[in-house]
Amino acid sequence: MSRLAGALAVAVLLIACESTAPPPSVDPGDAASVLAAYLVALESGDCDAGRALAAPTFRRGNGELCGAVRVGAIKVDWNPARSATEVVYATTLTTSGSADGSIPAGDVTWFFDLQRDATGAWRLAGGGSGP
């Protein structure tokens, strides 16, 4: 799939999916599709759907934001840093801040790290505000 076609597919996924579960069209072999589905779940507050896309390492304190912060808008740089087994996407999240003050209200740069699992599927593995 070309980069443009992939970006368009992800854009359609983000716009069209308003349900509280990841769309059935999530392709676990496509990191962008997995991240897009997670972001839909994050924005809608469906943490169970978000966790279904994650490795065991992706938890609060290591990238998982669902339930810790309310996100009102998301911008993704769809040109990630990548290797054969890891992809890192930079996003800008507009948040209301976290209850514990660890994430400020307003625009926050957040990096989502996806890694291939033993089956070859992409999973959210970690994340944070910087390297």
Side-chain angles (χ1 to χ4, degrees):
M1 177 181 298
S2 74
R3 182 178 286 179
L4 178 59
L8 288 173
V10 170
V12 168
L13 179 66
L14 283 172
I15 292 167
C17 183
E18 295 180 6
S19 71
T20 59
S25 60
V26 172
D27 176 1
D30 177 39
S33 176
V34 172
L35 178 61
Y38 172 77
L39 294 173
V40 168
L42 173 64
E43 195 167 23
S44 69
D46 188 350
C47 300
D48 289 338
R51 279 190 287 278
L53 302 165
T57 57
F58 190 70
R59 58 186 179 277
R60 210 171 278 171
N62 190 38
E64 171 63 286
L65 296 174
C66 197
V69 65
R70 192 160 185 4
V71 176
I74 301 168
K75 294 179 200 169
V76 180
D77 178 352
W78 292 111
N79 295 304
R82 68 172 56 239
S83 72
T85 59
E86 184 175 25
V87 178
V88 178
Y89 287 94
T91 65
T92 301
L93 307 174
T94 304
T95 77
S96 59
S98 61
D100 67 3
S102 63
I103 299 171
D107 288 346
V108 175
T109 300
W110 200 259
F111 298 92
F112 287 98
D113 178 27
L114 290 92
Q115 297 178 5
R116 286 196 186 270
D117 68 13
T119 69
W122 289 101
R123 297 283 179 210
L124 288 140
S129 59

